[in-house]
Amino acid sequence: MLVLLPPSEGKASSGRGAPLKPESLSLPGLNAARAAVLDELAELCAGDEEKAREVLGLSEGLRGEIAKNVELRTAGARPAGEIYTGVLYDALDLASLDTAAKKRAARSLLVFSGLWGAVRVTDRIPSYRCSMGVKLPGLGALGAHWRTPMASALPEAAGDGLVLDLRSSAYAAAWKPKGEVAGRTATVRVLHSQVVDGVEKRSVVSHFNKATKGRIVRDLLAAGIAPKDPAELVEALRDLGYVVEAEAPAKTGKPWALDVVVTEIH
């Protein structure tokens, strides 16, 4: 099973560890594309700070984030699973998993990134600021920049098992499973169900959508469950207590779309 995750906007500090070793990152087929983004991002942020803030879409209060990108090659690096924070990662809580579940996480979790393309949670990276929606002056839109190298690297990473796609739309743009891989891919949407005046209404709540996705991944890892295809995933999630609505796609080579329906927001 390969689980595709979005990163978090907020990140932990780099710390005092050894600096980035780009050649040590997983998916070496992405290294050339990583180097191109890394070089341009560092150059951008070392120059006109106001321009960098505008390109990165940072508010005035986040101006300090620009300095992180200037020191990417020399800052301390930590496992990506420690760098990424936020709602999904709080719910996933990798640090509290037992040893066997942590090993499963190292094998199966892949975090998408505007800077790195995609990394394993064990890959050591520095803290940074660069979302997939950024358009760098020399490279253009990062989603488009990553499509070609991802088209080669990701099917290999997916192997022949289930692909559980939990990415947001901006990160999904960097790689869309096709053909046979798409047929064993499942995307998940979390819907909040509530009854108003006797009528059920459903809505997507961003915070809870992220938290539920984090809990889903944690529960699968903790239970040692590795479904082989979307149909097995549906049954596994139901066994874990989730309310799941799903139908097989009408056409072959299309991903399954799963709705996880919740009634409580927490």
Side-chain angles (χ1 to χ4, degrees):
M1 177 175 66
L2 183 68
V3 182
L4 310 181
L5 298 174
S8 58
E9 288 297 322
K11 298 173 184 70
S13 63
S14 294
R16 299 180 179 273
L20 171 73
K21 294 181 179 180
E23 69 280 2
S24 72
L25 298 179
S26 302
L27 308 182
L30 301 180
N31 281 352
R34 286 167 175 153
V37 180
L38 183 58
D39 287 345
E40 183 163 349
L41 182 62
E43 182 179 353
L44 169 71
C45 293
D48 186 329
E49 189 175 273
E50 192 59 34
K51 179 180 178 181
R53 188 171 72 86
E54 181 180 345
V55 170
L56 296 177
L58 300 177
S59 66
E60 180 64 35
L62 293 174
R63 183 183 291 272
E65 294 286 284
I66 296 169
K68 287 183 178 181
N69 295 339
V70 178
E71 301 174 350
L72 285 169
R73 294 190 182 277
T74 58
R78 297 167 59 184
E82 297 177 13
I83 290 289
Y84 294 115
T85 59
V87 177
L88 188 154
Y89 292 90
D90 284 347
L92 174 53
D93 196 9
L94 285 169
S96 68
L97 291 172
D98 63 30
T99 300
K102 286 179 179 176
K103 289 181 179 179
R104 289 190 282 270
R107 292 193 303 266
S108 62
L109 304 188
L110 200 62
V111 185
F112 273 60
S113 162
L115 173 53
W116 313 114
V119 292
R120 303 281 185 185
V121 292
T122 49
D123 285 336
R124 298 182 67 85
I125 59 173
S127 186
Y128 67 96
R129 191 74 179 217
C130 184
S131 71
M132 191 65 80
V134 165
K135 294 182 180 180
L136 290 175
L139 294 178
L142 290 179
H145 171 76
W146 286 111
R147 280 185 203 124
T148 297
M150 288 280 190
S152 299
L154 265 294
E156 182 179 349
D160 58 3
L162 169 73
V163 178
L164 175 54
D165 191 350
L166 302 178
R167 298 172 296 167
S168 55
S169 58
Y171 292 90
W175 180 64
K176 295 183 179 180
K178 296 180 179 179
E180 185 269 337
V181 178
R184 48 188 167 84
T185 296
T187 62
V188 173
R189 180 176 63 166
V190 179
L191 297 176
H192 176 221
S193 172
Q194 55 184 332
V195 177
V196 179
D197 296 329
V199 178
E200 184 193 25
K201 295 185 177 181
R202 293 181 175 183
S203 60
V204 176
V205 180
S206 177
H207 178 98
F208 192 62
N209 174 59
K210 296 174 183 177
T212 301
K213 287 179 177 179
R215 282 192 283 269
I216 285 172
V217 176
R218 179 182 176 83
D219 288 347
L220 290 171
L221 293 172
I225 300 173
K228 296 177 181 178
D229 56 43
E232 285 192 13
L233 173 65
V234 172
E235 293 307 310
L237 292 178
R238 288 173 177 165
D239 288 345
L240 288 169
Y242 292 95
V243 176
V244 182
E245 298 177 355
E247 291 184 7
K251 296 181 179 179
T252 58
K254 298 291 184 180
W256 286 53
L258 278 56
D259 284 342
V260 175
V261 183
V262 298
T263 56
E264 296 181 2
I265 297 179
H266 58 89

